[in-house]
Amino acid sequence: MSSGGPGSAGHGRSHHGGEPCHEVDPRVGSVAAHRFHLVVCNSSSEEWPSRVDAMSPAISALAHGGARLPGRAMVTLSDFSPFKDTAKKSSSSTVTGGGGGGGEGETAASKYERIDVAVFPLGLVAKQLDSDGVAALLRWLGHEVLPTSWSSTHTNLPQPPSSAFEHSWLELTNSRHIFVCTHGTRDRLCGIHGGKLLADLRALITSQGLADRVAAWATSHIGGHKYAANAIVYPRGDWYGTWCARCGSGSSSGSDSDSSVGPADAQAIIDAATRDIVWWDAWRGATNMSKMDQINAWRFHNDSADHVGGHGVTGSHPSADSADPFTHWIPKSSRRKSSVIGS
């Protein structure tokens, strides 16, 4: 990222007694507060209308119920495939779109009559939910105790009763999942720049032999079109926006070849995922953090970086910084604690 671009640090007056500090990057704090990310699995971006929440009764129930959960849950569709059999079935099916009838192939309403739902950052996968199953999942997620782990044996949430919905747990101790918004029918910037980032991520994962522990997936709208390409890394829950606008008017071109996203962006995200650190140059915020928590975390990083030589603040190479004194502020769990800030 160019030192003169939107990701570079400007200077103003500090929030700490008048010392110089960095102006907050406009991307920081742009992640809407949410407690969970509910991913409807085995979908394809080719199936997604501009609004996906009406594609079936089960998806509608999940989206509307998720918005009412304590702390809120974000709902998206994705090609994330937790089970090999359903992945094969999904890749061979053709959906006519939007839940309407007619035409060749399977309608969205029939394909998504029952849905597999992955709950991030917990790592639970609820299987084949109809509308009643969705309601049971939402009741469980509405439990008062916040999750402190993505492991089925360490979570403070009660185990879902087997009679409520069939479920399993993802292995997230060593595995990392990267979700990239490629929802071109919602905003073409996400289709162009998100598609390029996803392709670069998958190519690098393959070439670097990381496929056994890192995977990249397409997801529908997550918010922040103007920051495209947008990505989320789990289980940490960090959000990144590579900011296509930094390249000017050319970034909105309709051609894939004009995308401002490059392999360096993908490499920085992979570095952050595999090293369990933050790529601060493109960080938007994170799951389970309020807007102010996100801003305070970014400020803390930049103030700390100033004291150790300014690393990780500016520069032409958007790399994740392993020496960052604030990269491990999040405990070995999926819970975000604002009390950690400045402690």
Side-chain angles (χ1 to χ4, degrees), residues 26-37 71-75 221-224 227 230 232 234 237 239 284-292 294 336:
R27 287 168 290 184
V28 176
S30 64
V31 176
H34 63 289
R35 183 178 168 192
F36 302 115
H37 181 186
R72 185 178 167 270
M74 177 178 71
V75 176
H221 174 67
I222 60 175
Y227 306 129
N230 291 294
I232 313 172
Y234 290 114
W239 288 49
R284 290 182 55 191
T287 301
N288 257 328
M289 293 184 78
S290 69
K291 179 175 182 176
M292 188 52 62
Q294 295 167 39
R336 303 274 175 169

Side-chain angles (χ1 to χ4, degrees), residues 61-118:
L62 188 70
H64 296 147
R68 293 192 294 268
L69 277 177
R72 185 178 167 270
M74 177 178 71
V75 176
T76 70
L77 274 64
S78 173
D79 59 356
F80 177 65
S81 301
F83 312 115
K84 292 182 179 179
D85 55 342
T86 52
K88 182 177 180 180
K89 178 181 177 181
S90 176
S91 64
S92 63
S93 63
T94 302
V95 173
T96 58
E104 297 181 357
E106 186 178 21
T107 66
S110 60
K111 174 179 177 179
Y112 297 108
E113 180 180 4
R114 289 179 175 272
I115 54 178
D116 293 333
V117 179

Side-chain angles (χ1 to χ4, degrees), residues 14-16 20-22 298-307:
S14 174
H15 54 292
H16 294 309
C21 78
H22 300 280
W298 189 89
R299 282 174 169 164
F300 187 97
H301 155 73
N302 282 289
D303 288 353
S304 299
D306 280 345
H307 291 303

Side-chain angles (χ1 to χ4, degrees), residues 247-335:
C247 292
S249 59
S251 65
S252 60
S253 168
S255 171
D256 288 347
S257 62
D258 292 325
S259 175
S260 63
V261 177
D265 295 312
Q267 186 62 62
I269 291 174
I270 288 175
D271 287 347
T274 57
R275 293 157 61 187
D276 199 25
I277 59 176
V278 174
W279 176 27
W280 290 105
D281 282 349
W283 194 71
R284 290 182 55 191
T287 301
N288 257 328
M289 293 184 78
S290 69
K291 179 175 182 176
M292 188 52 62
D293 282 347
Q294 295 167 39
I295 292 172
N296 285 343
W298 189 89
R299 282 174 169 164
F300 187 97
H301 155 73
N302 282 289
D303 288 353
S304 299
D306 280 345
H307 291 303
V308 294
H311 61 77
V313 179
T314 61
S316 59
H317 188 271
S319 62
D321 190 352
S322 61
D324 193 327
F326 200 41
T327 52
H328 297 289
W329 68 281
I330 300 166
K332 293 292 185 180
S333 74
S334 62
R335 185 176 181 178

